[in-house]
Amino acid sequence: MSKTIFKIIFLCTFFLFSCENKKPSQKNNVKETNPGVVISFDDATINEWYQADKILRKYSWKATFCVSKINTLSHSEIKELKQLQKEGHEIAGHGFHHFDAPKFVAKNGIEAYIKQEINPMLALMHFHNFKVTSFAYPFGFRNINIDKALLKKFKIIRGTTYGAEDPFFQNCYYNNSSVVYAIGIDTDHPNFSIPYLVRLLNYAKRKHKILILFGHKPVQNITADYQTKIATLKLICNYVNQHNMTFYTLSELNNLK
Ligand SMILES: [Zn+2]
């Protein structure tokens, strides 16, 4: 009798421990939910992106380059983009013509939009072996109907957001949705400031969030609109490294769902 009880206790203990052992390995599989940032760039300043990567690779950074007008790029720019993809950066779509999507769709319909703005972009980008699974709206202009059509073609689509409200009210953090919003890091982006950027980063770290950022042309010294200061990028990279946060690409967000 006591032997049977002993056996039962032994078996129960065995199962308990074998279950316990599974938990840490499951936890390891979801380590992607570490707080972090997505740094994205729009348009087609390929040379400046390539130069920025030379400066920032020491931080093991990762960025998403959202390319528009791929048909206008030179052979050497395509080569640089390919090199960026090879290093682990993501190459995403930003429109064949860089159309204002809602305006174009209102006038010509969604089918014409997909046919003129999306399909030729994807065909040419695939021809160059870019694995395009994300799309960033030109000017951030979007609506739900276009989102719906684009989500048949892309895993993640990115709009933009503005303002300088408390980070709690900002929608520039990943929210488990396929439609995400980035806040600008160009010096001329409305309400951009280093103290506010640091507040957004602090909130991401504290609340285990992923902050989504976008800029255009990385430069050492600002000479025009749509430029991101290299110093701003260094600050972000330093912050991510110092706080053991993670650099995510746009499409990697899709794997976290
Ligand atoms: Zn753009």
Side-chain angles (χ1 to χ4, degrees):
M1 183 68 181
S2 67
K3 254 187 185 175
T4 319
I5 291 171
F6 177 76
K7 258 187 193 169
I8 290 168
I9 291 171
F10 175 79
L11 280 173
C12 285
T13 315
F14 175 77
F15 278 118
L16 205 71
F17 273 99
S18 64
C19 289
E20 277 297 304
N21 284 341
K22 273 179 191 161
K23 276 183 183 160
S25 71
Q26 278 170 350
K27 245 184 185 168
N28 285 341
N29 291 339
V30 291
K31 72 170 191 276
E32 303 88 61
T33 49
N34 200 40
V37 296
V38 171
I39 306 175
S40 59
F41 296 92
D42 290 0
D43 296 348
T45 52
I46 319 295
N47 290 329
E48 285 78 4
W49 293 347
Y50 194 73
Q51 293 309 318
D53 178 59
K54 280 189 187 165
I55 298 166
L56 300 170
R57 65 176 59 151
K58 66 174 177 201
Y59 299 97
S60 304
W61 83 315
K62 226 189 286 177
T64 303
F65 300 102
C66 309
V67 183
S68 56
K69 303 180 182 175
I70 183 93
N71 56 320
T72 64
L73 300 188
S74 69
H75 176 68
S76 68
E77 286 172 320
I78 294 286
K79 234 172 105 182
E80 286 175 346
L81 269 185
K82 281 187 180 176
Q83 185 59 32
L84 289 170
Q85 177 173 263
K86 206 170 147 191
E87 282 169 24
H89 301 293
E90 179 179 351
I91 309 302
H94 189 50
F96 196 62
H97 302 278
H98 201 271
F99 284 152
D100 169 337
K103 202 172 158 190
F104 184 93
V105 170
K107 200 174 163 203
N108 306 288
I110 190 76
E111 271 179 39
Y113 175 74
I114 298 292
K115 211 172 149 189
Q116 292 180 41
E117 177 75 333
I118 303 301
N119 289 346
M121 175 193 79
L122 282 176
L124 194 50
M125 292 182 88
H126 290 156
F127 171 80
H128 290 303
N129 288 321
F130 296 124
K131 299 170 191 71
V132 185
T133 57
S134 315
F135 180 79
Y137 279 108
F139 318 102
F141 297 156
R142 50 164 289 282
N143 65 43
I144 291 172
N145 286 335
I146 310 173
D147 290 349
K148 235 192 233 168
L150 288 180
L151 283 172
K152 290 178 189 155
K153 304 263 179 186
F154 304 97
K155 290 176 181 165
I156 291 274
I157 48 182
R158 200 214 75 203
T160 53
T161 185
Y162 300 85
E165 51 265 66
D166 189 277
F168 178 82
F169 298 106
Q170 259 296 356
N171 58 351
C172 57
Y173 296 100
Y174 178 58
N175 54 2
N176 292 308
S177 157
S178 302
V179 183
V180 300
Y181 305 92
I183 193 157
I185 48 172
D186 286 343
T187 302
D188 66 296
H189 185 84
N191 297 305
F192 170 80
S193 77
I194 294 294
Y196 187 57
L197 175 62
V198 172
R199 263 181 86 192
L200 294 173
L201 285 164
N202 283 339
Y203 186 80
K205 182 195 69 173
R206 232 180 37 243
K207 300 286 181 184
H208 284 252
K209 302 260 183 200
I210 298 169
L211 174 63
I212 305 168
L213 304 166
F214 84 106
H216 291 86
K217 180 180 181 178
V219 293
Q220 292 288 358
N221 299 302
I222 301 293
T223 56
D225 285 351
Y226 300 105
Q227 295 184 341
T228 308
K229 234 180 167 185
I230 293 280
T232 304
L233 295 168
K234 280 184 179 169
L235 179 144
I236 297 163
C237 290
N238 256 322
Y239 191 100
V240 168
N241 285 352
Q242 280 170 5
H243 296 92
N244 295 315
M245 288 162 74
T246 303
F247 293 103
Y248 295 97
T249 63
L250 273 177
S251 66
E252 280 171 341
L253 297 179
N254 187 61
N255 307 333
L256 305 179
K257 274 190 276 177

